[in-house]
């Protein structure tokens, strides 16, 4: 049993991950910029299926139905001194919703893919990876301006929706 336990290796660490926008982000944004400036937790959406019940000879039997995953997640990015992160996100947002006319942008021009890689030893090699397809910004909120909190960087919190997710590794 001891050999089996030792063979399981070390634990996967929750802080050993990184995001990647392989095609960049819509609006000409630099996906590398967002990768480097994202430093908060990434809480993956729970995958769910719907449920219903049938009655069979007086017994209720639960059954599963269609997918009911809330295809949404949030990310936070540190805003750099030149506000490049803020401008990249705002440009993407302006493609989704034109602030002057209220017109919605084309789906094909406002979506991209995002990959999350989980790393481990040796040398931070990729151990697990998944791709979020059809990622689109849904909302963004700059952090509060607080003159008394000089130790924390300014951030922008973004809400995203996506179409599907694929396990890569």
């Amino acid at each position: 049993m001891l050999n089996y336990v030792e063979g399981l290796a070390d634990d996967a660490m929750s802080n050993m991950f990184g995001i990647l926008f392989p095609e960049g982000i819509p609006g000409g944004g630099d996906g590398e910029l967002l990768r480097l400036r994202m430093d908060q937790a990434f809480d993956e959406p729970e995958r769910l299926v719907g449920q219903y019940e049938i009655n069979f000879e007086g017994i209720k039997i639960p059954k599963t139905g269609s997918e009911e995953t809330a295809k949404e997640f949030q990310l936070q990015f540190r805003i750099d001194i030149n506000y490049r992160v803020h401008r990249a996100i705002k440009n993407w947002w302006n493609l989704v919703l034109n602030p002057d006319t209220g017109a919605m942008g084309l789906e094909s021009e406002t979506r991209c893919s995002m990959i999350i890689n989980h790393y481990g030893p040796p040398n931070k090699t990729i151990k697990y990876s998944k791709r979020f397809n059809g990622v689109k910004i849904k909302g963004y909120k700059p952090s509060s301006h607080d003159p008394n909190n000089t130790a924390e960087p300014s951030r922008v919190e973004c809400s995203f929706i996506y179409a599907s997710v694929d396990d890569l590794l």
Side-chain angles (χ1 to χ4, degrees), residues 82-161:
N82 295 315
Y83 280 73
R84 288 178 52 211
V85 168
H86 183 267
R87 285 186 187 91
I89 290 168
K90 188 170 183 279
N91 287 344
W92 189 359
W93 170 257
N94 287 345
L95 284 178
V96 172
L97 174 68
N98 184 313
D100 298 326
T101 66
M104 302 300 289
L106 299 173
E107 289 292 308
S108 62
E109 295 176 2
T110 58
R111 292 189 180 256
C112 64
S113 60
M114 184 190 88
I115 295 174
I116 179 166
N117 292 317
H118 299 270
Y119 303 105
N123 304 321
K124 293 181 86 174
T125 57
I126 296 173
K127 300 294 185 177
Y128 178 68
S129 186
K130 61 175 57 174
R131 176 189 303 269
F132 289 84
N133 302 301
V135 173
K136 180 178 184 176
I137 191 165
K138 177 183 169 187
Y140 77 99
K141 179 194 176 305
S143 61
S144 299
H145 304 287
D146 183 356
N148 299 316
N149 189 4
T150 57
E152 283 296 313
S154 293
R155 298 183 190 285
V156 60
E157 182 175 328
C158 300
S159 297
F160 298 93
I161 57 175

Side-chain angles (χ1 to χ4, degrees), residues 40-83:
Q40 299 294 305
F42 172 59
D43 194 17
E44 290 192 41
E46 180 181 17
R47 292 180 176 178
L48 295 171
V49 293
Q51 178 179 317
Y52 64 95
E53 293 179 346
I54 62 169
N55 289 308
F56 178 72
E57 298 179 0
I59 299 171
K60 288 184 179 179
I61 301 172
K63 306 270 288 180
T64 56
S66 61
E67 181 185 28
E68 292 187 5
T69 301
K71 295 184 176 182
E72 184 173 338
F73 60 87
Q74 286 75 36
L75 294 174
Q76 287 188 24
F77 304 96
R78 291 185 330 274
I79 296 177
D80 58 288
I81 192 71
N82 295 315
Y83 280 73

